[in-house]
Amino acid sequence: MSEPAHPDRLSDEQFRERFRAWLAANYPAELKQDSHRPFRRLRGDAAVAWLRRVRQAGWRAPAWPREYGGMGLSFRKQLIYHEELEHAGVARIIDLGETQLGPTLIQCGSEAQKAHYLPRILSCEDVWCQGYSEPGAGSDLASLRTSAVREGEAFIVNGQKIWTTHATDSTHIFTLVRTGKFAKKQQGISFLLIDLATPGITVRPIVNLAGEDEFCEVFFDNVRVPAAQLVGELDQGWTVAKALLGYERIWIGSPALAGKALELARTLVEELALTNDAGVMDRLAQLAADLHDYRLLYAEICDSIADGGKPGPDVSMLKVYASELLHRLTEFNQEVAAESGGIVGDARIGGALTDLHWQFMMARPVTIFAGANEIQRDILAKTVLGLPAEASARN
Amino acid sequence: MSRDNDDIAGPLGDQLARLFAKTVTREALVAAEHNVFDAALWNEISEIGAALALAAESVGGAGLAWAQADGLLQLLGSQLPPVPLGETMLAAWVLGLAGIEAPAAPLAVAGALLQIDGDGCVSGDDALVSWAPQAQVIVAVAQGAGARQLVLLSTLDAELTPQRTLDRLPAARARFRGARPLQAVAAPAVLGETGLLAPLAVLRALQLAGSLSQVLALCIDYANTRSQFGKTIGKFQAIQHQIAELAELSAAAQVAAGYAARQLDGGDAAAAERGAAVAKIRAAASATRGAAIAHQVFGAIGTTDEHLLHYHTRRLWQWRDEAGSDGWWAERLGRQALAAGAAALWTGITASAP
Ligand SMILES: Cc1cc2nc3c(=O)[nH]c(=O)nc-3n(C[C@H](O)[C@H](O)[C@H](O)COP(=O)(O)OP(=O)(O)OC[C@H]3O[C@@H](n4cnc5c(N)ncnc54)[C@H](O)[C@@H]3O)c2cc1C
């Protein structure tokens, strides 16, 4: 059978074949991304059920070291892993425990935190969401105000988080909270792990413009959090949170979604018999060429990391390009469908069943979250290109 | 259609603006999206006489030209009254041109060209007729042997398949199979080969222009209010540039929609269709980019159902796709330009428009 058992002993290509075969045999056909739902996503019970199956077969947590229960893959094999997920049409899962908190704990957590939380993330016993943003602290995250005051062996947390994706599906939240006041506002922030079942926490779902309850507000009213839930040093949470940002931007920059959107674009153009329409074909060709270029850029940056480099500030380029390409692709899909582009829910276009509204709406916020594109361009200008900082623009 | 009518258009617009400001609340918008017809609002509109603003005086209308009503038609996009006022005004206008008094009721307009047979029965499909589920009458143009007929059709004689659309307002696919019209007359000369699609496209362009101007106002207001990094985000050039671009897009849509309105008033079918094409292409392109800018300025809060922004942006996306998408009109305009030949292009573009 296709077990990953010792991926180190497999060549990259052997590894690819094994994983591909395993996905083909195990991923449920009805959950695949296709022209109906190109950005299909699993959440809640469906996500947990699939992740448990992945774990049983030994394919969980490709980036985590083996000693913590992960696969310990080289960066190159991680890339292959993600390519195969895309190839097989496996739905996206926002599993912040695996992709964000786990690696953070492995790098900055105490032995007790690692021993307690990491296995529970792998088994999906704990499901984590990210509590960083606040109503007054979006792009300017360091101005966050939710406070944690030490009282004996606990912190007392008061304040509010917002835009917390899938908080209603989660058991725990990792937060940035204010523990001290310093001249530099990035100081005095701490990284705190909080069980959402703790008394004093209220979670209120927020409906988005597609009518889905995707994100939430989380209120903290005198919430007692054991002091042992602090990750890293007191007041050093900013550094803890930043440690993995580069890797996050790499995975967010993946061309997978844009690839699915382009497949849909091709299907639409064929089904609508627009292949003789020069204007439409010109735009489609431009999009295809841009995606092709982008895949090369992505591969180049990933290769340099696979060869031992670390993600640098230039990964902001990935986020900007991938998100704007996704905007253009989903706009194209909606526009070529003309009258059908305004239909909400399933629509039959020629022989294809698709949901243009959903793909369009899912793509709207990508230029906003995980560092708005204006902020990413700021980073590119200052850190990569060395252009001077605007006086007092950032503090 | 005299100049004196400017004296009517102004006060009528003011009255409507005040009415909409008072009645088009968030609750009203939400109710309309749950299929509740706002009869109270419709009655007030009827009392003001707005539904017949474009209809000829001879059939009881105010006889305003489209160009004169430009401002009040844009109110439909800037203030979003959730009733088919634009459609009804358009229908009453075209019926008036044919000498028919419009039924005193909300009317729907089918943009697709239908067929009418020798017995006077109408068949054909329209993929999407806004407001059809709540209107009793659909106004359409049907092609007969030779002549085109303007027809009034009862929605009872249509096979309606309700559609869920981005704007969440009532809409349906309408199918007619040998429906006998309530009334049929020769279609007025201003309606060309594309029938009612051209004036419907002009109406959508005017609504898009109105909505864009309101979205611009919302963005300016938010940029001057929302603070990050110790200053209002409107102080960041990245935001200023985007809002400036939005202002350009909004202005371009207004100019194009106003041009199209004047072409409709001119009465020539070919010119009216060209105006519709220009306006719909321009306004749709402004809508796509304009909505993206607005959402970028607003950040996460703009992606929530609780915020008002999406009542505009969803309509921008919806109206953009309706009454001929920009791609469809661009293809048609391009083919006509090619058919007219190289010599006609420059004079066509630079001819002093009315
Ligand atoms: C779908 C979605 C899911 C999210 N999930 C989570 C989550 O799970 N957990 C979490 O903590 N957060 C989450 N967020 C929040 C996200 O991180 C913030 O939306 C983001 O940081 C931007 O903040 P804001 O929305 O308050 O916009 P603002 O910061 O108010 O920005 C508004 C506009 O101003 C611009 N701007 C701001 N500062 C500058 C500047 N210095 N220069 C130029 N332009 C500037 C921005 O780019 C943007 O265009 C999510 C957001 C979305 C939309």
Side-chain angles (χ1 to χ4, degrees):
Chain A
M1 249 298 282
S2 44
E3 270 166 31
H6 296 287
D8 290 350
R9 283 198 236 125
L10 300 175
S11 72
D12 288 349
E13 276 320 300
Q14 286 169 326
F15 174 76
R16 185 188 294 281
E17 278 163 30
R18 289 258 178 126
F19 192 41
R20 180 175 291 197
W22 185 80
L23 286 172
N26 290 279
Y27 190 69
E30 70 276 10
L31 297 181
K32 277 192 185 181
Q33 294 178 329
D34 51 20
S35 60
H36 179 211
R37 285 242 158 165
F39 306 156
R40 188 190 289 279
R41 181 183 61 178
L42 295 184
R43 56 184 279 198
D45 293 344
V48 167
W50 167 243
L51 290 178
R52 290 201 168 132
R53 207 156 149 187
V54 169
R55 168 151 167 82
Q56 252 173 11
W59 295 101
R60 182 118 166 89
W64 291 21
R66 303 275 278 270
E67 53 178 312
Y68 297 115
M71 294 176 72
L73 295 186
S74 66
F75 187 79
R76 183 133 11 237
K77 284 201 173 77
Q78 289 177 46
L79 273 177
I80 294 173
Y81 183 99
H82 287 280
E83 282 165 10
E84 289 309 309
L85 290 178
E86 178 189 353
H87 176 82
V90 174
R92 294 173 300 139
I93 294 175
I94 301 178
D95 180 13
L96 295 182
E98 187 219 316
T99 57
Q100 284 191 19
L101 181 63
T104 306
L105 288 180
I106 289 166
Q107 199 166 320
C108 312
S110 68
E111 289 310 316
Q113 286 166 343
K114 288 191 262 192
H116 180 74
Y117 286 116
L118 295 179
R120 297 166 67 94
I121 291 173
L122 293 175
S123 66
C124 297
E125 209 168 327
D126 296 345
V127 177
W128 289 85
C129 57
Q130 180 197 61
Y132 289 179
S133 306
E134 297 180 6
S139 298
D140 183 13
L141 183 59
S143 68
L144 61 90
R145 296 217 304 245
T146 296
S147 69
V149 178
R150 185 74 186 248
E151 205 182 279
E153 277 313 291
F155 287 100
I156 306 299
V157 178
N158 278 290
Q160 179 196 352
K161 294 295 174 182
I162 196 167
W163 318 127
T164 321
T165 299
H166 296 176
T168 43
D169 298 346
S170 305
T171 57
H172 291 71
I173 183 168
F174 55 94
T175 60
L176 288 176
V177 291
R178 183 146 309 278
T179 42
K181 282 222 158 60
F182 296 83
K184 203 171 179 298
K185 64 187 177 183
Q186 284 80 358
Q187 246 185 9
I189 290 173
S190 297
F191 195 105
L192 202 57
L193 308 176
I194 305 180
D195 184 337
L196 281 170
T198 319
I201 297 181
T202 313
V203 177
R204 189 185 76 96
I206 304 175
V207 177
N208 67 16
L209 74 158
E212 295 190 342
D213 58 343
E214 193 190 22
F215 39 35
C216 302
E217 283 179 291
V218 182
F219 298 92
F220 300 87
D221 179 15
N222 286 318
V223 176
R224 269 187 89 82
V225 180
Q229 306 283 78
L230 175 73
V231 179
E233 300 284 311
L234 187 73
D235 296 333
Q236 298 302 313
W238 191 257
T239 319
V240 174
K242 287 267 153 160
L244 292 148
L245 219 57
Y247 288 99
E248 186 198 336
R249 285 191 180 145
I250 292 213
W251 301 127
I252 278 194
S254 159
L257 286 187
K260 298 291 170 189
L262 184 69
E263 279 172 28
L264 174 59
R266 290 209 167 113
T267 306
L268 289 173
V269 165
E270 277 168 26
E271 295 293 343
L272 292 161
L274 291 169
T275 46
N276 287 324
D277 185 322
V280 169
M281 292 311 281
D282 186 52
R283 284 180 69 194
L284 181 63
Q286 183 69 53
L287 290 165
D290 288 350
L291 177 60
H292 181 262
D293 289 349
Y294 181 67
R295 282 191 190 278
L296 294 182
L297 172 71
Y298 188 74
E300 192 179 294
I301 290 190
C302 288
D303 279 348
S304 76
I305 295 167
D307 291 342
K310 284 234 171 295
D314 55 347
V315 296
S316 285
M317 230 182 327
L318 301 181
K319 161 61 171 51
V320 169
Y321 201 100
S323 59
E324 292 177 5
L325 183 56
L326 199 63
H327 263 199
R328 287 162 55 209
L329 276 159
T330 50
E331 278 163 9
F332 175 85
N333 289 341
Q334 211 198 21
E335 278 170 48
V336 288
E339 267 76 2
S340 304
I343 302 291
V344 173
D346 290 350
R348 201 156 267 296
I349 293 183
L353 181 71
T354 185
D355 182 342
L356 291 169
H357 169 253
W358 203 75
Q359 61 105 36
F360 184 74
M361 288 302 188
M362 282 300 111
R364 289 314 94 194
V366 295
T367 50
I368 298 167
F369 61 53
N373 286 17
E374 288 72 19
I375 302 298
Q376 305 283 3
R377 285 194 161 92
D378 236 38
I379 295 172
L380 284 172
K382 285 168 201 157
T383 318
V384 180
L385 304 175
L387 295 166
E390 189 191 336
S392 79
R394 313 285 296 270
N395 38 10
Chain B
M1 276 200 268
S2 65
R3 277 283 137 200
D4 299 348
N5 283 347
D6 287 337
D7 302 339
I8 303 173
L12 189 57
D14 294 344
Q15 249 179 313
L16 282 177
R18 276 197 303 276
L19 174 63
F20 297 156
K22 185 182 68 175
T23 52
V24 186
T25 57
R26 189 193 163 76
E27 293 70 46
L29 289 169
V30 170
E33 295 188 351
H34 288 87
N35 248 319
V36 180
F37 186 72
D38 197 337
L41 175 59
W42 185 259
N43 287 340
E44 291 207 53
I45 287 171
S46 305
E47 273 168 36
I48 298 174
L52 299 181
L54 296 172
E57 290 174 52
S58 57
V59 293
L64 293 186
W66 281 78
Q68 290 168 322
D70 176 319
L72 67 92
L73 288 164
Q74 286 196 33
L75 287 178
L76 306 177
S78 58
Q79 294 187 290
L80 308 177
V83 287
L85 178 56
E87 288 79 358
T88 304
M89 286 171 75
L90 189 167
W93 164 74
V94 72
L95 289 169
L97 290 180
I100 300 179
E101 208 171 304
L107 303 171
V109 175
L113 202 62
L114 306 176
Q115 281 80 45
I116 188 160
D117 64 20
D119 297 331
C121 290
V122 172
S123 298
D125 291 348
D126 191 316
L128 198 69
V129 181
S130 302
W131 297 101
Q134 288 182 358
Q136 282 153 29
V137 174
I138 298 176
V139 177
V141 168
Q143 179 75 51
R148 278 188 287 274
Q149 302 268 302
L150 180 66
V151 292
L152 285 162
L153 295 156
S154 164
T155 45
L156 295 176
D157 295 329
E159 193 187 306
L160 296 184
T161 315
Q163 302 284 335
R164 284 172 63 215
T165 48
L166 264 165
D167 62 3
R168 303 184 196 152
L169 292 172
R173 166 184 284 278
R175 173 166 295 179
F176 298 94
R177 292 287 174 268
R180 187 160 292 285
L182 303 169
Q183 246 180 315
V185 284
V190 66
L191 301 182
E193 279 172 28
T194 49
L196 286 171
L197 194 66
L200 196 56
V202 178
L203 173 65
R204 293 291 179 254
L206 285 160
Q207 288 172 305
L208 285 167
S211 179
L212 281 163
S213 66
Q214 183 60 21
V215 166
L216 174 62
L218 291 173
C219 283
I220 293 170
D221 184 57
Y222 189 70
N224 282 326
T225 318
R226 170 71 171 169
S227 210
Q228 288 287 277
F229 302 101
K231 46 167 107 168
T232 51
I233 57 169
K235 292 216 168 88
F236 298 117
Q237 283 196 344
I239 293 296
Q240 291 175 348
H241 288 177
Q242 291 186 70
I243 296 179
E245 187 188 346
L246 176 57
E248 294 163 24
L249 295 165
S250 165
Q254 296 205 352
V255 170
Y259 165 75
R262 292 194 299 279
Q263 301 312 301
L264 280 180
D265 292 331
D268 175 58
E273 195 187 284
R274 191 168 55 245
V278 167
K280 192 67 201 318
I281 295 166
R282 181 60 257 171
S286 289
T288 304
R289 177 76 187 122
I293 289 175
H295 277 295
Q296 198 60 26
V297 169
F298 275 88
I301 194 110
T303 71
T304 65
D305 193 68
E306 283 164 63
H307 199 273
L308 214 65
L309 180 64
H310 66 90
Y311 287 94
H312 281 282
T313 52
R314 282 186 292 108
R315 281 164 180 74
L316 289 176
W317 295 318
Q318 176 74 32
W319 291 334
R320 179 192 71 176
D321 295 336
E322 278 182 23
S325 65
D326 44 343
W328 189 87
W329 281 110
E331 177 79 15
R332 205 174 155 82
L333 191 62
R335 287 194 188 285
Q336 280 168 1
L338 288 173
L345 186 60
W346 183 247
T347 43
I349 294 172
T350 54
S352 62

